[in-house]
Amino acid sequence: MKRLDVVRLILGGLVSAIIIYLIETVTNAVVLGRDWQDWSAIARTAFVMPSGTVSMIHWGLQTLIAGIAGTFIYAGIRTWVGANLRAAWISGVIVWAIGWLGMSMDKMAMGIEPHKMIHYNLLAALIACLLGQVVASFIYKDRAE
């Protein structure tokens, strides 16, 4: 029986988190930058908005949690699915569904964010989670007992 390699799990999760963070940052700052500015101007009248620095820290923590959780899921399912890209894709989809799809359903139900921004972020996050987990799958290896 093999044992979980915690160091490789954290390293894979960290690399995955960096990939997710970079893709999300490009999506939100470059692709949707103007949309975010317009929405923020309106939202500031209804919500207390955090500073840009605080938002970036929260997004960084979100991607760190997603990266580590995804790598942990990958480590758990690789014995059943195999240590292959299929396991990485499955873990990426699971993290995306829990971390982004579920949250987006809330945003759409409450109408607190424009659908264009939600849809672009869903697509970018799916690509980011899949790519992040593929890279993490090359880093993570079980430790022999």
Side-chain angles (χ1 to χ4, degrees):
M1 183 172 191
K2 296 181 180 186
R3 294 178 49 191
L4 194 67
D5 188 335
V6 176
V7 172
R8 284 185 170 268
L9 187 144
I10 292 172
L11 182 61
L14 183 61
V15 171
S16 178
I18 291 168
I19 291 168
I20 296 168
Y21 189 83
L22 290 174
I23 291 173
E24 284 286 308
T25 299
V26 168
T27 301
N28 287 300
V30 178
V31 178
L32 294 171
R34 185 71 182 147
D35 294 287
W36 276 113
Q37 288 175 355
D38 294 344
W39 180 80
S40 294
I42 295 166
R44 286 189 199 290
T45 62
F47 305 114
V48 176
M49 304 289 284
S51 69
T53 302
V54 170
S55 293
M56 296 303 278
I57 290 169
H58 284 125
W59 284 321
L61 291 173
Q62 177 196 14
T63 60
L64 182 61
I65 292 166
I68 292 173
T71 307
F72 185 79
I73 292 166
Y74 170 78
I77 67 172
R78 63 188 255 140
T79 55
W80 297 309
V81 178
N84 54 35
L85 289 179
R86 183 171 172 234
W89 286 86
I90 291 169
S91 63
V93 168
I94 291 169
V95 168
W96 172 79
I98 294 169
W100 278 267
L101 184 60
M103 180 177 56
S104 295
M105 293 292 121
D106 277 349
K107 290 178 182 179
M108 287 190 277
M110 293 185 291
I112 61 170
E113 203 172 284
H115 285 199
K116 175 187 174 185
M117 291 165 41
I118 292 171
H119 294 152
Y120 276 53
N121 270 298
L122 278 172
L123 179 60
L126 178 60
I127 292 166
C129 288
L130 293 174
L131 182 59
Q133 285 313 120
V134 166
V135 173
S137 75
F138 286 105
I139 295 170
Y140 181 79
K141 306 288 181 241
D142 286 326
R143 195 169 43 157
E145 220 175 305

PDB file of all heavy atoms in Angstrom, residues 92-132:
ATOM      1  N   GLY A  92      -9.866  18.140 -11.534  1.00  0.00           N
ATOM      2  CA  GLY A  92     -10.047  19.528 -11.961  1.00  0.00           C
ATOM      3  C   GLY A  92     -11.507  19.907 -12.109  1.00  0.00           C
ATOM      4  O   GLY A  92     -11.932  20.985 -11.688  1.00  0.00           O
ATOM      5  N   VAL A  93     -12.306  19.010 -12.684  1.00  0.00           N
ATOM      6  CA  VAL A  93     -13.737  19.277 -12.850  1.00  0.00           C
ATOM      7  C   VAL A  93     -14.435  19.327 -11.492  1.00  0.00           C
ATOM      8  O   VAL A  93     -15.304  20.173 -11.268  1.00  0.00           O
ATOM      9  CB  VAL A  93     -14.397  18.234 -13.784  1.00  0.00           C
ATOM     10  CG1 VAL A  93     -15.920  18.326 -13.736  1.00  0.00           C
ATOM     11  CG2 VAL A  93     -13.900  18.417 -15.212  1.00  0.00           C
ATOM     12  N   ILE A  94     -14.057  18.445 -10.576  1.00  0.00           N
ATOM     13  CA  ILE A  94     -14.663  18.450  -9.246  1.00  0.00           C
ATOM     14  C   ILE A  94     -14.377  19.774  -8.537  1.00  0.00           C
ATOM     15  O   ILE A  94     -15.290  20.400  -7.981  1.00  0.00           O
ATOM     16  CB  ILE A  94     -14.174  17.248  -8.407  1.00  0.00           C
ATOM     17  CG1 ILE A  94     -14.744  15.943  -8.972  1.00  0.00           C
ATOM     18  CG2 ILE A  94     -14.558  17.416  -6.936  1.00  0.00           C
ATOM     19  CD1 ILE A  94     -14.117  14.686  -8.382  1.00  0.00           C
ATOM     20  N   VAL A  95     -13.131  20.211  -8.557  1.00  0.00           N
ATOM     21  CA  VAL A  95     -12.770  21.482  -7.909  1.00  0.00           C
ATOM     22  C   VAL A  95     -13.504  22.644  -8.564  1.00  0.00           C
ATOM     23  O   VAL A  95     -14.034  23.526  -7.885  1.00  0.00           O
ATOM     24  CB  VAL A  95     -11.239  21.704  -7.952  1.00  0.00           C
ATOM     25  CG1 VAL A  95     -10.869  23.124  -7.568  1.00  0.00           C
ATOM     26  CG2 VAL A  95     -10.550  20.714  -7.039  1.00  0.00           C
ATOM     27  N   TRP A  96     -13.566  22.648  -9.887  1.00  0.00           N
ATOM     28  CA  TRP A  96     -14.274  23.714 -10.602  1.00  0.00           C
ATOM     29  C   TRP A  96     -15.756  23.733 -10.237  1.00  0.00           C
ATOM     30  O   TRP A  96     -16.321  24.790  -9.966  1.00  0.00           O
ATOM     31  CB  TRP A  96     -14.096  23.526 -12.112  1.00  0.00           C
ATOM     32  CG  TRP A  96     -14.935  24.443 -12.930  1.00  0.00           C
ATOM     33  CD1 TRP A  96     -14.683  25.758 -13.212  1.00  0.00           C
ATOM     34  CD2 TRP A  96     -16.175  24.125 -13.574  1.00  0.00           C
ATOM     35  NE1 TRP A  96     -15.696  26.270 -13.991  1.00  0.00           N
ATOM     36  CE2 TRP A  96     -16.619  25.289 -14.229  1.00  0.00           C
ATOM     37  CE3 TRP A  96     -16.941  22.975 -13.657  1.00  0.00           C
ATOM     38  CZ2 TRP A  96     -17.794  25.329 -14.963  1.00  0.00           C
ATOM     39  CZ3 TRP A  96     -18.114  23.005 -14.384  1.00  0.00           C
ATOM     40  CH2 TRP A  96     -18.530  24.175 -15.022  1.00  0.00           C
ATOM     41  N   ALA A  97     -16.378  22.557 -10.201  1.00  0.00           N
ATOM     42  CA  ALA A  97     -17.809  22.489  -9.904  1.00  0.00           C
ATOM     43  C   ALA A  97     -18.109  22.995  -8.502  1.00  0.00           C
ATOM     44  O   ALA A  97     -19.064  23.752  -8.299  1.00  0.00           O
ATOM     45  CB  ALA A  97     -18.313  21.057 -10.074  1.00  0.00           C
ATOM     46  N   ILE A  98     -17.294  22.611  -7.549  1.00  0.00           N
ATOM     47  CA  ILE A  98     -17.527  23.038  -6.167  1.00  0.00           C
ATOM     48  C   ILE A  98     -17.120  24.498  -5.963  1.00  0.00           C
ATOM     49  O   ILE A  98     -17.847  25.272  -5.351  1.00  0.00           O
ATOM     50  CB  ILE A  98     -16.777  22.115  -5.188  1.00  0.00           C
ATOM     51  CG1 ILE A  98     -17.369  20.709  -5.237  1.00  0.00           C
ATOM     52  CG2 ILE A  98     -16.826  22.673  -3.771  1.00  0.00           C
ATOM     53  CD1 ILE A  98     -16.544  19.667  -4.517  1.00  0.00           C
ATOM     54  N   GLY A  99     -15.967  24.867  -6.470  1.00  0.00           N
ATOM     55  CA  GLY A  99     -15.427  26.199  -6.201  1.00  0.00           C
ATOM     56  C   GLY A  99     -15.969  27.321  -7.059  1.00  0.00           C
ATOM     57  O   GLY A  99     -16.028  28.467  -6.617  1.00  0.00           O
ATOM     58  N   TRP A 100     -16.354  27.023  -8.303  1.00  0.00           N
ATOM     59  CA  TRP A 100     -16.779  28.092  -9.195  1.00  0.00           C
ATOM     60  C   TRP A 100     -18.224  27.946  -9.669  1.00  0.00           C
ATOM     61  O   TRP A 100     -18.977  28.905  -9.653  1.00  0.00           O
ATOM     62  CB  TRP A 100     -15.837  28.195 -10.392  1.00  0.00           C
ATOM     63  CG  TRP A 100     -14.602  28.962 -10.080  1.00  0.00           C
ATOM     64  CD1 TRP A 100     -14.405  30.297 -10.273  1.00  0.00           C
ATOM     65  CD2 TRP A 100     -13.401  28.461  -9.499  1.00  0.00           C
ATOM     66  NE1 TRP A 100     -13.150  30.658  -9.845  1.00  0.00           N
ATOM     67  CE2 TRP A 100     -12.511  29.534  -9.357  1.00  0.00           C
ATOM     68  CE3 TRP A 100     -12.979  27.209  -9.076  1.00  0.00           C
ATOM     69  CZ2 TRP A 100     -11.244  29.401  -8.825  1.00  0.00           C
ATOM     70  CZ3 TRP A 100     -11.716  27.080  -8.537  1.00  0.00           C
ATOM     71  CH2 TRP A 100     -10.862  28.167  -8.416  1.00  0.00           C
ATOM     72  N   LEU A 101     -18.602  26.761 -10.098  1.00  0.00           N
ATOM     73  CA  LEU A 101     -19.955  26.578 -10.615  1.00  0.00           C
ATOM     74  C   LEU A 101     -20.996  26.821  -9.525  1.00  0.00           C
ATOM     75  O   LEU A 101     -21.960  27.553  -9.735  1.00  0.00           O
ATOM     76  CB  LEU A 101     -20.115  25.181 -11.214  1.00  0.00           C
ATOM     77  CG  LEU A 101     -21.458  24.880 -11.872  1.00  0.00           C
ATOM     78  CD1 LEU A 101     -21.733  25.842 -13.031  1.00  0.00           C
ATOM     79  CD2 LEU A 101     -21.496  23.429 -12.357  1.00  0.00           C
ATOM     80  N   GLY A 102     -20.780  26.245  -8.360  1.00  0.00           N
ATOM     81  CA  GLY A 102     -21.721  26.447  -7.254  1.00  0.00           C
ATOM     82  C   GLY A 102     -21.828  27.902  -6.846  1.00  0.00           C
ATOM     83  O   GLY A 102     -22.928  28.434  -6.638  1.00  0.00           O
ATOM     84  N   MET A 103     -20.693  28.574  -6.744  1.00  0.00           N
ATOM     85  CA  MET A 103     -20.676  29.991  -6.380  1.00  0.00           C
ATOM     86  C   MET A 103     -21.374  30.832  -7.463  1.00  0.00           C
ATOM     87  O   MET A 103     -22.101  31.778  -7.143  1.00  0.00           O
ATOM     88  CB  MET A 103     -19.231  30.457  -6.204  1.00  0.00           C
ATOM     89  CG  MET A 103     -19.081  31.913  -5.836  1.00  0.00           C
ATOM     90  SD  MET A 103     -17.361  32.395  -5.566  1.00  0.00           S
ATOM     91  CE  MET A 103     -16.582  31.928  -7.095  1.00  0.00           C
ATOM     92  N   SER A 104     -21.183  30.472  -8.702  1.00  0.00           N
ATOM     93  CA  SER A 104     -21.806  31.220  -9.797  1.00  0.00           C
ATOM     94  C   SER A 104     -23.317  31.061  -9.801  1.00  0.00           C
ATOM     95  O   SER A 104     -24.042  31.995 -10.162  1.00  0.00           O
ATOM     96  CB  SER A 104     -21.222  30.767 -11.134  1.00  0.00           C
ATOM     97  OG  SER A 104     -19.860  31.103 -11.192  1.00  0.00           O
ATOM     98  N   MET A 105     -23.788  29.896  -9.416  1.00  0.00           N
ATOM     99  CA  MET A 105     -25.233  29.691  -9.298  1.00  0.00           C
ATOM    100  C   MET A 105     -25.821  30.660  -8.264  1.00  0.00           C
ATOM    101  O   MET A 105     -26.891  31.230  -8.480  1.00  0.00           O
ATOM    102  CB  MET A 105     -25.566  28.251  -8.887  1.00  0.00           C
ATOM    103  CG  MET A 105     -25.227  27.208  -9.918  1.00  0.00           C
ATOM    104  SD  MET A 105     -26.278  27.367 -11.371  1.00  0.00           S
ATOM    105  CE  MET A 105     -25.055  27.632 -12.616  1.00  0.00           C
ATOM    106  N   ASP A 106     -25.112  30.853  -7.156  1.00  0.00           N
ATOM    107  CA  ASP A 106     -25.550  31.825  -6.145  1.00  0.00           C
ATOM    108  C   ASP A 106     -25.597  33.231  -6.728  1.00  0.00           C
ATOM    109  O   ASP A 106     -26.561  33.959  -6.540  1.00  0.00           O
ATOM    110  CB  ASP A 106     -24.603  31.828  -4.937  1.00  0.00           C
ATOM    111  CG  ASP A 106     -24.903  30.731  -3.949  1.00  0.00           C
ATOM    112  OD1 ASP A 106     -25.955  30.089  -4.068  1.00  0.00           O
ATOM    113  OD2 ASP A 106     -24.068  30.525  -3.051  1.00  0.00           O
ATOM    114  N   LYS A 107     -24.538  33.615  -7.418  1.00  0.00           N
ATOM    115  CA  LYS A 107     -24.475  34.969  -7.995  1.00  0.00           C
ATOM    116  C   LYS A 107     -25.609  35.200  -8.988  1.00  0.00           C
ATOM    117  O   LYS A 107     -26.219  36.267  -9.004  1.00  0.00           O
ATOM    118  CB  LYS A 107     -23.131  35.190  -8.687  1.00  0.00           C
ATOM    119  CG  LYS A 107     -21.964  35.289  -7.758  1.00  0.00           C
ATOM    120  CD  LYS A 107     -20.686  35.456  -8.561  1.00  0.00           C
ATOM    121  CE  LYS A 107     -19.460  35.504  -7.691  1.00  0.00           C
ATOM    122  NZ  LYS A 107     -18.235  35.651  -8.488  1.00  0.00           N
ATOM    123  N   MET A 108     -25.893  34.189  -9.820  1.00  0.00           N
ATOM    124  CA  MET A 108     -26.966  34.340 -10.801  1.00  0.00           C
ATOM    125  C   MET A 108     -28.334  34.362 -10.121  1.00  0.00           C
ATOM    126  O   MET A 108     -29.211  35.125 -10.519  1.00  0.00           O
ATOM    127  CB  MET A 108     -26.902  33.235 -11.852  1.00  0.00           C
ATOM    128  CG  MET A 108     -25.753  33.421 -12.826  1.00  0.00           C
ATOM    129  SD  MET A 108     -25.810  32.320 -14.247  1.00  0.00           S
ATOM    130  CE  MET A 108     -25.095  30.847 -13.599  1.00  0.00           C
ATOM    131  N   ALA A 109     -28.501  33.535  -9.089  1.00  0.00           N
ATOM    132  CA  ALA A 109     -29.784  33.496  -8.382  1.00  0.00           C
ATOM    133  C   ALA A 109     -30.083  34.824  -7.696  1.00  0.00           C
ATOM    134  O   ALA A 109     -31.233  35.258  -7.639  1.00  0.00           O
ATOM    135  CB  ALA A 109     -29.782  32.364  -7.349  1.00  0.00           C
ATOM    136  N   MET A 110     -29.044  35.480  -7.182  1.00  0.00           N
ATOM    137  CA  MET A 110     -29.241  36.752  -6.485  1.00  0.00           C
ATOM    138  C   MET A 110     -29.119  37.954  -7.408  1.00  0.00           C
ATOM    139  O   MET A 110     -29.450  39.070  -7.017  1.00  0.00           O
ATOM    140  CB  MET A 110     -28.224  36.878  -5.341  1.00  0.00           C
ATOM    141  CG  MET A 110     -28.468  35.860  -4.240  1.00  0.00           C
ATOM    142  SD  MET A 110     -27.384  36.086  -2.824  1.00  0.00           S
ATOM    143  CE  MET A 110     -25.802  35.639  -3.476  1.00  0.00           C
ATOM    144  N   GLY A 111     -28.643  37.739  -8.628  1.00  0.00           N
ATOM    145  CA  GLY A 111     -28.511  38.832  -9.580  1.00  0.00           C
ATOM    146  C   GLY A 111     -27.484  39.868  -9.169  1.00  0.00           C
ATOM    147  O   GLY A 111     -27.643  41.048  -9.476  1.00  0.00           O
ATOM    148  N   ILE A 112     -26.433  39.446  -8.497  1.00  0.00           N
ATOM    149  CA  ILE A 112     -25.466  40.431  -7.988  1.00  0.00           C
ATOM    150  C   ILE A 112     -24.280  40.675  -8.913  1.00  0.00           C
ATOM    151  O   ILE A 112     -23.457  41.529  -8.627  1.00  0.00           O
ATOM    152  CB  ILE A 112     -24.937  40.046  -6.584  1.00  0.00           C
ATOM    153  CG1 ILE A 112     -24.218  38.705  -6.625  1.00  0.00           C
ATOM    154  CG2 ILE A 112     -26.051  40.039  -5.579  1.00  0.00           C
ATOM    155  CD1 ILE A 112     -23.472  38.390  -5.348  1.00  0.00           C
ATOM    156  N   GLU A 113     -24.218  39.940 -10.018  1.00  0.00           N
ATOM    157  CA  GLU A 113     -23.111  40.139 -10.951  1.00  0.00           C
ATOM    158  C   GLU A 113     -23.635  39.910 -12.363  1.00  0.00           C
ATOM    159  O   GLU A 113     -24.461  39.021 -12.577  1.00  0.00           O
ATOM    160  CB  GLU A 113     -22.004  39.126 -10.621  1.00  0.00           C
ATOM    161  CG  GLU A 113     -20.636  39.527 -11.081  1.00  0.00           C
ATOM    162  CD  GLU A 113     -19.595  38.561 -10.533  1.00  0.00           C
ATOM    163  OE1 GLU A 113     -19.267  38.662  -9.340  1.00  0.00           O
ATOM    164  OE2 GLU A 113     -19.117  37.707 -11.306  1.00  0.00           O
ATOM    165  N   PRO A 114     -23.164  40.683 -13.328  1.00  0.00           N
ATOM    166  CA  PRO A 114     -23.628  40.492 -14.712  1.00  0.00           C
ATOM    167  C   PRO A 114     -23.285  39.084 -15.235  1.00  0.00           C
ATOM    168  O   PRO A 114     -22.215  38.545 -14.940  1.00  0.00           O
ATOM    169  CB  PRO A 114     -22.862  41.557 -15.496  1.00  0.00           C
ATOM    170  CG  PRO A 114     -22.506  42.595 -14.485  1.00  0.00           C
ATOM    171  CD  PRO A 114     -22.283  41.850 -13.202  1.00  0.00           C
ATOM    172  N   HIS A 115     -24.203  38.517 -15.994  1.00  0.00           N
ATOM    173  CA  HIS A 115     -24.020  37.156 -16.512  1.00  0.00           C
ATOM    174  C   HIS A 115     -22.780  37.033 -17.382  1.00  0.00           C
ATOM    175  O   HIS A 115     -22.130  35.982 -17.364  1.00  0.00           O
ATOM    176  CB  HIS A 115     -25.261  36.706 -17.261  1.00  0.00           C
ATOM    177  CG  HIS A 115     -26.386  36.348 -16.348  1.00  0.00           C
ATOM    178  ND1 HIS A 115     -27.439  35.584 -16.744  1.00  0.00           N
ATOM    179  CD2 HIS A 115     -26.625  36.647 -15.042  1.00  0.00           C
ATOM    180  CE1 HIS A 115     -28.276  35.417 -15.738  1.00  0.00           C
ATOM    181  NE2 HIS A 115     -27.805  36.062 -14.698  1.00  0.00           N
ATOM    182  N   LYS A 116     -22.445  38.056 -18.142  1.00  0.00           N
ATOM    183  CA  LYS A 116     -21.243  37.986 -18.988  1.00  0.00           C
ATOM    184  C   LYS A 116     -20.017  37.714 -18.134  1.00  0.00           C
ATOM    185  O   LYS A 116     -19.191  36.852 -18.466  1.00  0.00           O
ATOM    186  CB  LYS A 116     -21.060  39.301 -19.759  1.00  0.00           C
ATOM    187  CG  LYS A 116     -19.764  39.346 -20.551  1.00  0.00           C
ATOM    188  CD  LYS A 116     -19.514  40.706 -21.172  1.00  0.00           C
ATOM    189  CE  LYS A 116     -18.159  40.759 -21.834  1.00  0.00           C
ATOM    190  NZ  LYS A 116     -17.844  42.103 -22.336  1.00  0.00           N
ATOM    191  N   MET A 117     -19.874  38.423 -17.014  1.00  0.00           N
ATOM    192  CA  MET A 117     -18.716  38.246 -16.147  1.00  0.00           C
ATOM    193  C   MET A 117     -18.725  36.854 -15.521  1.00  0.00           C
ATOM    194  O   MET A 117     -17.672  36.218 -15.409  1.00  0.00           O
ATOM    195  CB  MET A 117     -18.688  39.339 -15.078  1.00  0.00           C
ATOM    196  CG  MET A 117     -18.376  40.702 -15.685  1.00  0.00           C
ATOM    197  SD  MET A 117     -18.718  42.138 -14.645  1.00  0.00           S
ATOM    198  CE  MET A 117     -18.206  41.690 -13.053  1.00  0.00           C
ATOM    199  N   ILE A 118     -19.889  36.387 -15.142  1.00  0.00           N
ATOM    200  CA  ILE A 118     -19.990  35.047 -14.556  1.00  0.00           C
ATOM    201  C   ILE A 118     -19.602  33.987 -15.581  1.00  0.00           C
ATOM    202  O   ILE A 118     -18.804  33.091 -15.292  1.00  0.00           O
ATOM    203  CB  ILE A 118     -21.418  34.797 -14.027  1.00  0.00           C
ATOM    204  CG1 ILE A 118     -21.698  35.699 -12.822  1.00  0.00           C
ATOM    205  CG2 ILE A 118     -21.613  33.330 -13.660  1.00  0.00           C
ATOM    206  CD1 ILE A 118     -23.140  35.692 -12.358  1.00  0.00           C
ATOM    207  N   HIS A 119     -20.127  34.090 -16.785  1.00  0.00           N
ATOM    208  CA  HIS A 119     -19.851  33.093 -17.817  1.00  0.00           C
ATOM    209  C   HIS A 119     -18.380  33.076 -18.218  1.00  0.00           C
ATOM    210  O   HIS A 119     -17.793  31.997 -18.375  1.00  0.00           O
ATOM    211  CB  HIS A 119     -20.742  33.322 -19.037  1.00  0.00           C
ATOM    212  CG  HIS A 119     -22.187  33.101 -18.744  1.00  0.00           C
ATOM    213  ND1 HIS A 119     -23.188  33.748 -19.423  1.00  0.00           N
ATOM    214  CD2 HIS A 119     -22.825  32.332 -17.828  1.00  0.00           C
ATOM    215  CE1 HIS A 119     -24.364  33.386 -18.950  1.00  0.00           C
ATOM    216  NE2 HIS A 119     -24.162  32.520 -17.972  1.00  0.00           N
ATOM    217  N   TYR A 120     -17.775  34.234 -18.390  1.00  0.00           N
ATOM    218  CA  TYR A 120     -16.351  34.295 -18.736  1.00  0.00           C
ATOM    219  C   TYR A 120     -15.512  33.679 -17.619  1.00  0.00           C
ATOM    220  O   TYR A 120     -14.554  32.946 -17.876  1.00  0.00           O
ATOM    221  CB  TYR A 120     -15.910  35.735 -18.983  1.00  0.00           C
ATOM    222  CG  TYR A 120     -16.181  36.250 -20.373  1.00  0.00           C
ATOM    223  CD1 TYR A 120     -17.446  36.185 -20.941  1.00  0.00           C
ATOM    224  CD2 TYR A 120     -15.173  36.831 -21.124  1.00  0.00           C
ATOM    225  CE1 TYR A 120     -17.702  36.677 -22.214  1.00  0.00           C
ATOM    226  CE2 TYR A 120     -15.414  37.327 -22.396  1.00  0.00           C
ATOM    227  CZ  TYR A 120     -16.676  37.239 -22.937  1.00  0.00           C
ATOM    228  OH  TYR A 120     -16.916  37.730 -24.199  1.00  0.00           O
ATOM    229  N   ASN A 121     -15.864  33.998 -16.368  1.00  0.00           N
ATOM    230  CA  ASN A 121     -15.117  33.451 -15.239  1.00  0.00           C
ATOM    231  C   ASN A 121     -15.292  31.943 -15.117  1.00  0.00           C
ATOM    232  O   ASN A 121     -14.347  31.236 -14.749  1.00  0.00           O
ATOM    233  CB  ASN A 121     -15.513  34.149 -13.935  1.00  0.00           C
ATOM    234  CG  ASN A 121     -14.652  35.354 -13.681  1.00  0.00           C
ATOM    235  OD1 ASN A 121     -13.443  35.224 -13.534  1.00  0.00           O
ATOM    236  ND2 ASN A 121     -15.262  36.522 -13.652  1.00  0.00           N
ATOM    237  N   LEU A 122     -16.493  31.446 -15.407  1.00  0.00           N
ATOM    238  CA  LEU A 122     -16.707  30.003 -15.380  1.00  0.00           C
ATOM    239  C   LEU A 122     -15.824  29.292 -16.405  1.00  0.00           C
ATOM    240  O   LEU A 122     -15.200  28.274 -16.097  1.00  0.00           O
ATOM    241  CB  LEU A 122     -18.174  29.668 -15.635  1.00  0.00           C
ATOM    242  CG  LEU A 122     -19.108  29.770 -14.449  1.00  0.00           C
ATOM    243  CD1 LEU A 122     -20.562  29.595 -14.895  1.00  0.00           C
ATOM    244  CD2 LEU A 122     -18.750  28.755 -13.381  1.00  0.00           C
ATOM    245  N   LEU A 123     -15.770  29.826 -17.605  1.00  0.00           N
ATOM    246  CA  LEU A 123     -14.945  29.215 -18.645  1.00  0.00           C
ATOM    247  C   LEU A 123     -13.462  29.303 -18.287  1.00  0.00           C
ATOM    248  O   LEU A 123     -12.729  28.310 -18.388  1.00  0.00           O
ATOM    249  CB  LEU A 123     -15.214  29.891 -19.997  1.00  0.00           C
ATOM    250  CG  LEU A 123     -14.385  29.364 -21.166  1.00  0.00           C
ATOM    251  CD1 LEU A 123     -14.641  27.872 -21.389  1.00  0.00           C
ATOM    252  CD2 LEU A 123     -14.691  30.158 -22.424  1.00  0.00           C
ATOM    253  N   ALA A 124     -13.016  30.469 -17.847  1.00  0.00           N
ATOM    254  CA  ALA A 124     -11.610  30.632 -17.479  1.00  0.00           C
ATOM    255  C   ALA A 124     -11.237  29.734 -16.312  1.00  0.00           C
ATOM    256  O   ALA A 124     -10.158  29.118 -16.304  1.00  0.00           O
ATOM    257  CB  ALA A 124     -11.327  32.095 -17.133  1.00  0.00           C
ATOM    258  N   ALA A 125     -12.115  29.635 -15.327  1.00  0.00           N
ATOM    259  CA  ALA A 125     -11.830  28.798 -14.163  1.00  0.00           C
ATOM    260  C   ALA A 125     -11.791  27.320 -14.539  1.00  0.00           C
ATOM    261  O   ALA A 125     -10.968  26.569 -14.000  1.00  0.00           O
ATOM    262  CB  ALA A 125     -12.871  29.045 -13.074  1.00  0.00           C
ATOM    263  N   LEU A 126     -12.653  26.893 -15.456  1.00  0.00           N
ATOM    264  CA  LEU A 126     -12.621  25.502 -15.894  1.00  0.00           C
ATOM    265  C   LEU A 126     -11.283  25.189 -16.561  1.00  0.00           C
ATOM    266  O   LEU A 126     -10.628  24.192 -16.234  1.00  0.00           O
ATOM    267  CB  LEU A 126     -13.778  25.205 -16.849  1.00  0.00           C
ATOM    268  CG  LEU A 126     -13.824  23.781 -17.403  1.00  0.00           C
ATOM    269  CD1 LEU A 126     -13.942  22.751 -16.293  1.00  0.00           C
ATOM    270  CD2 LEU A 126     -14.976  23.645 -18.405  1.00  0.00           C
ATOM    271  N   ILE A 127     -10.862  26.057 -17.457  1.00  0.00           N
ATOM    272  CA  ILE A 127      -9.566  25.871 -18.121  1.00  0.00           C
ATOM    273  C   ILE A 127      -8.447  25.882 -17.085  1.00  0.00           C
ATOM    274  O   ILE A 127      -7.543  25.034 -17.110  1.00  0.00           O
ATOM    275  CB  ILE A 127      -9.347  26.969 -19.189  1.00  0.00           C
ATOM    276  CG1 ILE A 127     -10.341  26.780 -20.337  1.00  0.00           C
ATOM    277  CG2 ILE A 127      -7.905  26.969 -19.690  1.00  0.00           C
ATOM    278  CD1 ILE A 127     -10.449  27.976 -21.273  1.00  0.00           C
ATOM    279  N   ALA A 128      -8.506  26.826 -16.144  1.00  0.00           N
ATOM    280  CA  ALA A 128      -7.465  26.957 -15.127  1.00  0.00           C
ATOM    281  C   ALA A 128      -7.410  25.733 -14.214  1.00  0.00           C
ATOM    282  O   ALA A 128      -6.320  25.229 -13.903  1.00  0.00           O
ATOM    283  CB  ALA A 128      -7.699  28.224 -14.302  1.00  0.00           C
ATOM    284  N   CYS A 129      -8.566  25.252 -13.766  1.00  0.00           N
ATOM    285  CA  CYS A 129      -8.594  24.084 -12.878  1.00  0.00           C
ATOM    286  C   CYS A 129      -8.093  22.834 -13.592  1.00  0.00           C
ATOM    287  O   CYS A 129      -7.346  22.038 -13.011  1.00  0.00           O
ATOM    288  CB  CYS A 129      -9.999  23.861 -12.333  1.00  0.00           C
ATOM    289  SG  CYS A 129     -10.516  25.077 -11.113  1.00  0.00           S
ATOM    290  N   LEU A 130      -8.481  22.660 -14.843  1.00  0.00           N
ATOM    291  CA  LEU A 130      -8.005  21.506 -15.605  1.00  0.00           C
ATOM    292  C   LEU A 130      -6.501  21.575 -15.824  1.00  0.00           C
ATOM    293  O   LEU A 130      -5.778  20.602 -15.573  1.00  0.00           O
ATOM    294  CB  LEU A 130      -8.743  21.406 -16.941  1.00  0.00           C
ATOM    295  CG  LEU A 130     -10.231  21.073 -16.875  1.00  0.00           C
ATOM    296  CD1 LEU A 130     -10.859  21.162 -18.259  1.00  0.00           C
ATOM    297  CD2 LEU A 130     -10.464  19.710 -16.260  1.00  0.00           C
ATOM    298  N   LEU A 131      -6.015  22.715 -16.274  1.00  0.00           N
ATOM    299  CA  LEU A 131      -4.584  22.869 -16.512  1.00  0.00           C
ATOM    300  C   LEU A 131      -3.794  22.748 -15.210  1.00  0.00           C
ATOM    301  O   LEU A 131      -2.759  22.077 -15.157  1.00  0.00           O
ATOM    302  CB  LEU A 131      -4.299  24.219 -17.183  1.00  0.00           C
ATOM    303  CG  LEU A 131      -2.849  24.518 -17.542  1.00  0.00           C
ATOM    304  CD1 LEU A 131      -2.304  23.458 -18.500  1.00  0.00           C
ATOM    305  CD2 LEU A 131      -2.734  25.901 -18.156  1.00  0.00           C
ATOM    306  N   GLY A 132      -4.296  23.375 -14.153  1.00  0.00           N
ATOM    307  CA  GLY A 132      -3.626  23.298 -12.861  1.00  0.00           C
ATOM    308  C   GLY A 132      -3.511  21.875 -12.355  1.00  0.00           C
ATOM    309  O   GLY A 132      -2.471  21.465 -11.839  1.00  0.00           O
TER     310      GLY A 132
END
